[in-house]
Amino acid sequence: GKNEYDLLVIGGGSGGLACAKEAARFGRKVAVLDYVEPSPQGTKWGLGGTCVNVGCIPKKLMHQAALLGSAVKDAQHYGWNIAQPVHHTWSVMAQAVQNYVKSLNWGHRVQLQDKKVKYFNMKGRFSDPHTIHGLTKAGKETVVTAENIVIATGGRPKYPTHIAGALEYGITSDDLFWLKESPGKTLTPFVFNVSLECAGFLTGIGLDTTVMMRSIPLRGFDQQMASLVTEHMESYGTKFLKRCFPTKVEKLESNRLQVTWLNTDLGTEETDSFDTVMWAIGRDPDTETLNLETVGVKTNSETGKIIVDASEATSVPHIYAVGDITEGRPELTPTAIAAGKLLAQRLFGQSSELMDYDNVPTTVFTPLEYGCVGLSEEAAVQCYGSDNIEVYHAYYKPLEFTVAERDATQCYMKMVCLREREQRILGLHFIGPNAGEVTQGFALGIKCGATYPQLLKTIGIHPTCAEEITKLHITKRSGLDATVTGC
């Protein structure tokens, strides 16, 4: 028989919603099926996926709360009389952030309705390649058939289930943003960008915060930049337990959590108590209940992610996947949105344009932000050899740090270029205020194949931090002092 929908999207996050809305624009009959399984601690949320509910949006707003705390300290140097001590109230911030997120949930539902996209609040599983069985929270089942199906269910935080007490007593970022009361003294073991970002804003609002890292910080990012980020966080007040890993979590009579860990440098066992333990050990693709094996959708056996080709197609014709659930793709909201839109255009709009995953910019929203686009220095060396790349770099001091007498030791930028005559820019890395805004602008040039001579012809806006990028002239190879002096 005829399938009910032209397109069914499983997963109402950034990629799935973008794909569904774009398909509807072509006049196709579209449905979105979305269901949020509560976290092990019982946290749940509405339509919009990770970014809206437990990712970029609440994270950036809480990061902003911490930046305002730093600004209050700076303000006194600029003549503002502010009563001391300054106090932060978690519940006020959390309520405001959560209210905004709920408004976005509602906005997504309204948009789907306006575009005549059918929304099912159900958990789905395949029964055959064109058929999904949806189950509501109340246990009611609905069968939906579609000509094309897009899987966009994203990921959920992992728990280190091999550590005793981790699941019972720990939380993840899924829970942190929805806490009604302050998490208090917090430990976040393992150093992914979300753990550093959360630790940064928790420190910034005045909480005793410790990061435990077994090996390197920000795996996958440029390691010189990652080290500068963690150095700044230490000077900012975040504690780091390096080369340590937790072995168990126990609940004390006081309701505090006692964490035991192994210090691999000293070979000793150590303990401390915390109010909150937040695990940040990466994310698992949310595929468990989809029944992918039955319909033959192939996944990577190690990661569980869905294997797709350049057109986001899975191993089954007419079944596609976009976003964090796909193997080898960056786990970023804007890439999922772009991939979802382009997929809908190829399916229904006579387009053949594929998603280009090269030179995607991103930013880590730590207290001193780190933005990057293109290759890390390590990746450039691996691709082209150290003799064939040139790294221009500078330590600089933001003007706004001067009157406030803030330490700018870790404010640093570098540009990785090919050494050949035209010196194409391979990567840009920037640590400093508003790194996301700075990186976004330069990303266009790098996407268009910008070269170092073109950069030198770019006039800077004075006085800004971004301006310093247009003046980069000292190479690492020269060994000269890269500290910027004067205007």
Side-chain angles (χ1 to χ4, degrees), residues 50 56 154-156 158 192-193 282-285 303 305 323-336 357 360 362:
T50 298
C56 328
R156 296 293 291 269
K158 295 180 190 178
F192 284 78
N193 53 340
R283 301 174 73 81
D284 276 329
T303 63
K305 291 193 172 192
D324 292 4
I325 202 167
T326 52
E327 182 63 37
R329 304 290 197 235
E331 295 185 4
L332 297 169
T333 298
T335 53
Y357 290 98
V360 171
T362 190

Side-chain angles (χ1 to χ4, degrees), residues 359 361 372-374 413 415 425 427-430 435-450 454-456 458-461 464-472:
N359 290 324
C372 59
V373 57
M413 60 184 70
M415 185 165 276
I425 300 166
L428 171 68
H429 301 266
F430 176 94
E437 312 296 342
V438 171
T439 309
Q440 182 69 81
F442 284 99
L444 171 63
I446 292 170
K447 190 75 176 171
C448 292
Q454 288 171 331
L455 176 81
L456 291 185
T458 303
I459 304 300
I461 299 170
T464 62
C465 297
E467 168 194 25
E468 299 301 335
I469 294 174
T470 69
K471 300 192 290 188
L472 284 170

Side-chain angles (χ1 to χ4, degrees), residues 246-285:
T247 52
K248 64 179 172 181
V249 182
E250 300 163 289
K251 196 161 197 175
L252 303 173
E253 283 183 19
S254 63
N255 274 340
R256 298 196 90 200
L257 302 175
Q258 181 169 288
V259 181
T260 304
W261 66 87
L262 184 67
N263 183 321
T264 57
D265 277 343
L266 302 174
T268 55
E269 192 174 79
E270 299 167 10
T271 63
D272 196 2
S273 61
F274 301 87
D275 298 305
T276 301
V277 175
M278 190 196 89
W279 302 108
I281 62 168
R283 301 174 73 81
D284 276 329

Side-chain angles (χ1 to χ4, degrees), residues 126-183:
F126 282 93
S127 57
D128 71 47
H130 285 281
T131 309
I132 294 290
H133 281 246
L135 196 66
T136 68
K137 187 180 176 185
K140 183 187 170 191
E141 191 171 85
T142 301
V143 178
V144 184
T145 61
E147 197 65 39
N148 299 282
I149 297 175
V150 174
I151 306 166
T153 48
R156 296 293 291 269
K158 295 180 190 178
Y159 266 90
T161 48
H162 63 285
I163 297 172
L167 190 61
E168 296 91 322
Y169 307 126
I171 67 168
T172 67
S173 54
D174 276 2
D175 307 293
L176 181 70
F177 300 117
W178 289 91
L179 293 179
K180 297 280 188 269
E181 300 300 327
S182 170

Side-chain angles (χ1 to χ4, degrees), residues 187-191 196 210-217 226-235 238-246 261-268 270 410:
L187 171 71
T188 175
F190 306 103
V191 193
L196 287 186
T210 302
V211 173
M212 184 182 291
M213 58 184 198
R214 186 170 186 169
S215 55
I216 61 171
S227 295
L228 288 168
V229 166
T230 52
E231 280 170 27
H232 177 266
M233 286 183 68
E234 281 190 278
S235 67
T238 305
K239 298 168 188 164
F240 281 82
L241 293 167
K242 294 174 183 171
R243 295 184 55 75
C244 296
F245 63 92
W261 66 87
L262 184 67
N263 183 321
T264 57
D265 277 343
L266 302 174
T268 55
E270 299 167 10
Q410 287 85 27

Side-chain angles (χ1 to χ4, degrees), residues 307-314 320-322 329 339 342-343 346 352-357:
I307 297 165
V308 290
D309 65 13
S311 67
E312 322 301 344
T314 71
Y320 302 86
V322 295
R329 304 290 197 235
L342 287 169
L343 173 57
R346 290 194 302 275
S352 59
E353 186 183 351
L354 298 174
M355 175 64 189
D356 180 1
Y357 290 98

